[in-house]
Amino acid sequence: MSNTDAATSSPPKAPGMRDLLANRNYCYLVFAQFVSDLGDGVYALALLWAMKILTGSGVQMSMVLTAELIPTILIGIFAGVFVDLGKKKAFLLTADICRGVVVAALGFLWYTSQLQPWMLVAAAVLLSSFSAFFTPARMVSLRTLVPAENMMKAQSVSQTIQTVVGLCAPALSAILLAFNVSFSFWFNAASFLLSFLLILFIRHADLNKKKEGKADFTAIKASLKVGFKTVFQTALLRNLILYVVLLNFMFAPVSVLFPLYADTANALASYDIAFFVGILLGSIALGFFSKARKIVPMTVGLLLILGGFFGLVYCNAFALVLACMVLIGLGMPITNGTLMTVFMTAVPQEVLGRAGSTMNVLSQCAKPISLSMIGSLILLFSVRDLFLYISILGLAVVVLMVLNPTVRKAE
């Protein structure tokens, strides 16, 4: 065989990170994600701090968090239908402008001493409602702009962005809050404006296409049915959704258990930093699993998370606890990024918004139940015992996943 024949028969080189970053439209979208998520991170802390200053009530602060979750469940299932039928770019731009106006208004009301607690709750509902449309629109846009073979690397970038935001947003918000709460709200408004401008530069015909037909009740009902059918008639997704719901149910209380595990505020801050360091490392590591069967990174990620939880049961030394937090953070993006890649490549692009909303609502529904139960369980068991039970139950889910031939063979 000649050298020419050998060169001709050699397999084409798989697209890499350089190819991904050479995609200008993708870069606009990912930079928009960064500035928008950074603003959201600053806003999240400011929202709770503002409620604390206005009321000093933990119940009122819980109401704000609940208000953010309700639209995700109630509106999210319908939002995907409209996203699939409509112009994706228009949804992204509209959501950014509307959210920017809401948080800018909060900043003005606080600055003029007119802000009331109910306004914070109302704003949380409005922002979450617009985000319910923005999230599936961004998901579909990402799938449109990035080829399937490069999706794992794109997810790695997204996970890295979330990690950087997680590290930077609290510190930035603390600086802004030291001057005035309004500055945090206005910073978020500015981030939505910048996100709007970046998305405006995206040039892709498919993001501006609107499908034929009207979004009347019959069409919405039919589209919802398509979304559910896509999830439950696709063998891989039907199997995965059960595991995702179980994992969300088990992991949701962790946000409550971590503060209870820490003895001091400084210790909790150190745990958070170690956790996000782990997420950063995991986001980088995710890209190395692009050629492996998806069960490999899912299993590795979950074992790292569960190993960290198990370590918290018995570790007393501060350095060892930090190491456990790094392990937990390390496993998060490896698991989540892989699950998202499997979903986005398994679902046909034309129904991705509907199926994505269906998956999101189904997985989110487990969180309120789990969080409502943890209050009673804390009275019966110690925090370390609860971490032990989470580890054992999580290991059982991992075993079920590995033994499931449909999940195990996913490419």
Side-chain angles (χ1 to χ4, degrees):
M1 180 182 293
S2 66
N3 292 336
T4 303
D5 294 336
T8 302
S9 61
S10 61
K13 184 179 179 181
M17 186 63 73
R18 181 177 297 180
D19 301 290
L20 181 65
L21 297 180
N23 185 337
R24 182 175 297 181
N25 286 326
Y26 166 75
C27 288
Y28 286 139
L29 184 65
V30 80
F31 282 133
Q33 176 191 349
F34 172 73
V35 296
S36 179
D37 288 354
L38 182 62
D40 287 343
V42 170
Y43 162 80
L45 184 57
L47 180 67
L48 293 177
W49 190 254
M51 183 62 83
K52 180 179 180 180
I53 293 176
L54 290 174
T55 68
S57 169
V59 175
Q60 296 272 27
M61 294 170 69
S62 299
M63 286 179 60
V64 173
L65 297 177
T66 304
E68 290 181 319
L69 184 61
I70 290 175
T72 301
I73 298 175
L74 297 182
I75 300 177
I77 193 66
F78 300 100
V81 175
F82 289 98
V83 167
D84 279 336
L85 294 176
K87 299 178 181 180
K88 286 68 179 173
K89 185 175 177 179
F91 278 107
L92 294 173
L93 295 174
T94 303
D96 271 343
I97 284 295
C98 292
R99 292 184 296 177
V101 170
V102 171
V103 290
L106 287 180
F108 174 78
L109 290 170
W110 180 276
Y111 194 78
T112 56
S113 302
Q114 300 180 64
L115 191 63
Q116 301 296 321
W118 69 265
M119 297 178 182
L120 291 174
V121 176
V125 172
L126 287 174
L127 289 173
S128 183
S129 299
F130 291 123
S131 295
F133 290 91
F134 184 88
T135 301
R138 183 164 67 181
M139 181 190 301
V140 176
S141 299
L142 180 64
R143 181 64 185 87
T144 303
L145 299 175
V146 178
E149 59 271 18
N150 229 346
M151 188 55 63
M152 184 70 90
K153 289 185 175 61
Q155 290 299 324
S156 177
V157 172
S158 295
Q159 293 289 333
T160 302
I161 287 175
Q162 292 177 14
T163 304
V164 174
V165 168
L167 290 169
C168 298
L172 180 57
S173 184
I175 294 173
L176 293 173
L177 289 173
F179 291 96
N180 196 294
V181 175
S182 294
F183 293 167
S184 294
F185 292 140
W186 287 334
F187 179 88
N188 193 22
S191 74
F192 285 132
L193 176 59
L194 183 53
S195 174
F196 173 90
L197 294 175
L198 288 167
I199 294 172
L200 199 61
F201 284 122
I202 296 176
R203 296 288 184 268
H204 197 288
D206 289 344
L207 298 185
N208 291 313
K209 286 183 180 179
K210 184 177 181 180
K211 292 187 178 180
E212 297 181 359
K214 296 182 179 179
D216 54 18
F217 178 77
T218 303
I220 293 174
K221 183 179 178 181
S223 295
L224 286 174
K225 188 179 295 185
V226 170
F228 277 97
K229 281 186 176 180
T230 301
V231 172
F232 290 104
Q233 290 185 356
T234 304
L236 178 58
L237 298 182
R238 187 173 63 248
N239 284 271
L240 277 179
I241 187 62
L242 174 61
Y243 302 129
V244 171
V245 170
L246 288 174
L247 291 171
N248 275 344
F249 180 81
M250 289 185 294
F251 292 164
V254 170
S255 59
V256 178
L257 295 179
F258 277 168
L260 295 175
Y261 188 88
D263 295 327
T264 64
N266 288 337
L268 179 59
S270 299
Y271 297 165
D272 286 341
I273 293 173
F275 177 73
F276 280 110
V277 167
I279 291 180
L280 178 60
L281 296 175
S283 301
I284 298 171
L286 179 60
F288 293 99
F289 290 97
S290 58
K291 296 182 180 180
R293 288 184 179 272
K294 298 302 182 285
I295 189 62
V296 175
M298 282 192 286
T299 303
V300 170
L302 286 171
L303 289 178
L304 288 170
I305 295 171
L306 297 173
F309 288 151
F310 186 78
L312 293 177
V313 178
Y314 299 104
C315 290
N316 293 310
F318 185 68
L320 293 178
V321 173
L322 292 181
C324 291
M325 292 296 179
V326 172
L327 280 180
I328 296 169
L330 182 63
M332 287 291 183
I334 296 177
T335 303
N336 294 336
T338 304
L339 287 170
M340 184 60 68
T341 300
V342 169
F343 171 74
M344 293 181 70
T345 53
V347 175
Q349 187 172 323
E350 61 271 15
V351 296
L352 185 57
R354 282 164 282 182
S357 295
T358 300
M359 290 283 286
N360 188 41
V361 169
L362 289 174
S363 61
Q364 291 290 338
C365 283
K367 290 185 177 181
I369 300 173
S370 180
L371 289 172
S372 63
M373 290 176 59
I374 195 64
S376 300
L377 293 175
I378 289 174
L379 300 176
L380 300 175
F381 305 99
S382 69
V383 173
R384 291 177 184 263
D385 287 340
L386 291 173
F387 276 128
L388 177 62
Y389 300 148
I390 291 174
S391 303
I392 295 173
L393 293 174
L395 184 60
V397 174
V398 173
V399 172
L400 291 174
M401 288 178 61
V402 173
L403 294 178
N404 189 313
T406 303
V407 177
R408 189 173 64 247
K409 295 177 182 179
E411 295 291 343

